[in-house]
Amino acid sequence: MAALASLEEIWPGQLPEAERLIFVQLTEERQILALERLRAVMDVENGCEAAADLMARLSLGRSQVYKLLQDWRSSRSLASLVPHAGPSKIRASRLNERVIQLVRQVVREHVGRQSPESETTVIRDVQARAAQEDLPVPADATLRRLIAIWTLNDPKLSLSPLSRGQKGALRPSEATTEDDETKELLFPDVFGGRLLVDHTTPDLIVATNAPFKPTASFVVDDASRLILAHRLIDRIPEPEDFLTILAFASDGYRRLRSKGILAVHGLHPVLTMRNGLSAQWNQLRAVAQRSRFKFDIRRAPQPVFGHVLRRSMIREIGGIALLPGLTKEEPVCRLRNNDVRTPRVSWPDAMLMLDNAVMEHNRQRLRVVSMEALSGTARNSNLRLNTERRDWLEFGLAEFRDAWASH
């Protein structure tokens, strides 16, 4: 708190909320560095010190000092004063350039097919061709990361939902039954065709007497990867958390509709989530049936967290890494030895950081997602639609909202 008070005292004018969030995420040593450099650049701006004098004061070379001042003047942000204080950037791949070209070629081939194979098939194809051409054979994890980056940032290379491990088809006009979860569904590659409901662990540490890593809940539209709803909780997800986040998605969809992003009328969305077998899940499943969504609901003795997002290649949101493997553990048990130096933030700041990350994620998605996917004129424009041409996404989410309100 003392360091933050010092920042507010030094900062020219009122401290912006975005800069406060950058500061609280720094380690104590880097906060001290940020304050030292901010004092120095302000002294230069106020005419109290010459730029050349900062070389000795900050232990920097001449070119470093002038670069620091230039960056500060252009951005007026702590991110320009402290290395790596801004949002994390995607690192350039260290793969052989010929291998990268091969991967891009194979992905293009699979994207163009009527019935694209799974992501794993794409990876095996790349590895086999690399071996045939005497190129270094990249590991599975390396290829998955590369494909994830491309599918989120280049709509021309985006694999359809079918190619992420889903096969077969169930016509949207067929009635939803309990048996649907054992059938193989068609996931329409248009906005509102499939909703992903999942919970995972963001790489944030909340400061309390017993620090913990929280759980983040999301509802994501699969075709666009737009986030309709998000929430931060301090426990392992329970059935009510699935219900709550789906209820919140009703407001998220309303906001998107105000921007002209709507589901295709007459299309019954597919609902994808992974829950448990016990009777406590029955109420959630009953609401899901009333919602008229199609089922892609897989049950297991214990619910699976983070898998749905990971399979849809969402591994970070707005610069916050997602750690799905930790989500089955109690939040206080999710910390690891390498978290010792990771900054702790307050619960309100953690929620605000997730809000900002989601806004940034959606902003980026709207820059790259094709309008065909948002308007329903993409690959599956010949969808078999229900004769009742109503907005079934709005209807279904309203069912969850009403169930949550009465719950």
Side-chain angles (χ1 to χ4, degrees), residues 182-354:
T182 61
K183 293 181 180 180
E184 294 177 322
L185 302 180
L186 168 63
F187 301 142
D189 198 14
V190 294
F191 177 82
R194 181 193 188 202
L195 293 187
L196 313 174
V197 185
D198 206 0
H199 313 266
T200 189
T201 301
D203 194 12
L204 300 172
I205 301 179
V206 177
T208 63
N209 292 334
F212 64 93
K213 287 188 174 180
T215 299
S217 304
F218 296 101
V219 176
V220 180
D221 169 67
D222 187 50
S224 66
R225 309 317 206 283
L226 288 170
I227 297 175
L228 277 69
H230 65 280
R231 183 175 180 238
L232 210 58
I233 58 177
D234 59 356
R235 59 182 176 274
I236 297 174
E238 301 171 354
E240 65 181 55
D241 296 310
F242 282 80
L243 179 63
T244 301
I245 196 62
L246 278 162
F248 287 6
S250 178
D251 287 338
Y253 181 40
R254 177 178 49 79
R255 289 190 291 271
L256 290 175
R257 288 183 64 188
S258 69
K259 300 178 181 179
I261 301 172
L262 298 96
V264 178
H265 282 209
L267 173 63
H268 284 282
V270 177
L271 182 64
T272 294
M273 57 187 181
R274 305 288 180 257
N275 59 30
L277 285 172
S278 64
Q280 63 178 329
W281 295 91
N282 290 345
Q283 182 183 7
L284 176 68
R285 296 168 56 75
V287 179
Q289 285 187 305
R290 292 202 304 271
S291 73
R292 303 288 295 275
F293 287 151
K294 296 292 182 182
F295 275 13
D296 175 35
I297 301 177
R298 309 289 172 81
R299 292 186 291 176
Q302 296 296 327
V304 178
F305 303 125
H307 174 78
V308 171
L309 290 174
R310 186 174 66 248
R311 288 299 301 147
S312 288
M313 302 178 191
I314 298 177
R315 297 166 185 265
E316 61 88 25
I317 289 176
I320 298 179
L322 304 180
L323 311 171
L326 302 180
T327 316
K328 286 186 178 181
E329 302 180 30
E330 291 292 339
V332 293
C333 299
R334 294 175 185 171
L335 272 62
R336 298 295 186 262
N337 292 335
N338 57 0
D339 289 322
V340 173
R341 294 174 57 82
T342 302
R344 274 66 168 155
V345 299
S346 68
W347 182 249
D349 280 349
M351 291 191 287
L352 186 56
M353 288 162 62
L354 185 64

Side-chain angles (χ1 to χ4, degrees), residues 116-150:
E117 291 85 357
S118 68
E119 180 191 9
T120 300
T121 302
V122 176
I123 288 170
R124 296 293 173 261
D125 194 356
V126 170
Q127 291 170 333
R129 293 200 207 179
Q132 291 170 2
E133 298 179 23
D134 292 326
L135 294 173
V137 178
D140 286 20
T142 301
L143 290 174
R144 290 187 195 280
R145 281 194 296 269
L146 189 59
I147 292 172
I149 292 170
W150 286 348

Side-chain angles (χ1 to χ4, degrees), residues 29-48:
E29 294 84 353
R30 297 176 76 207
Q31 286 182 349
I32 294 172
L33 176 63
L35 293 173
E36 180 184 15
R37 290 186 172 183
L38 180 60
R39 286 191 184 98
V41 297
M42 292 311 301
D43 284 346
V44 171
E45 286 197 346
N46 295 332
C48 301

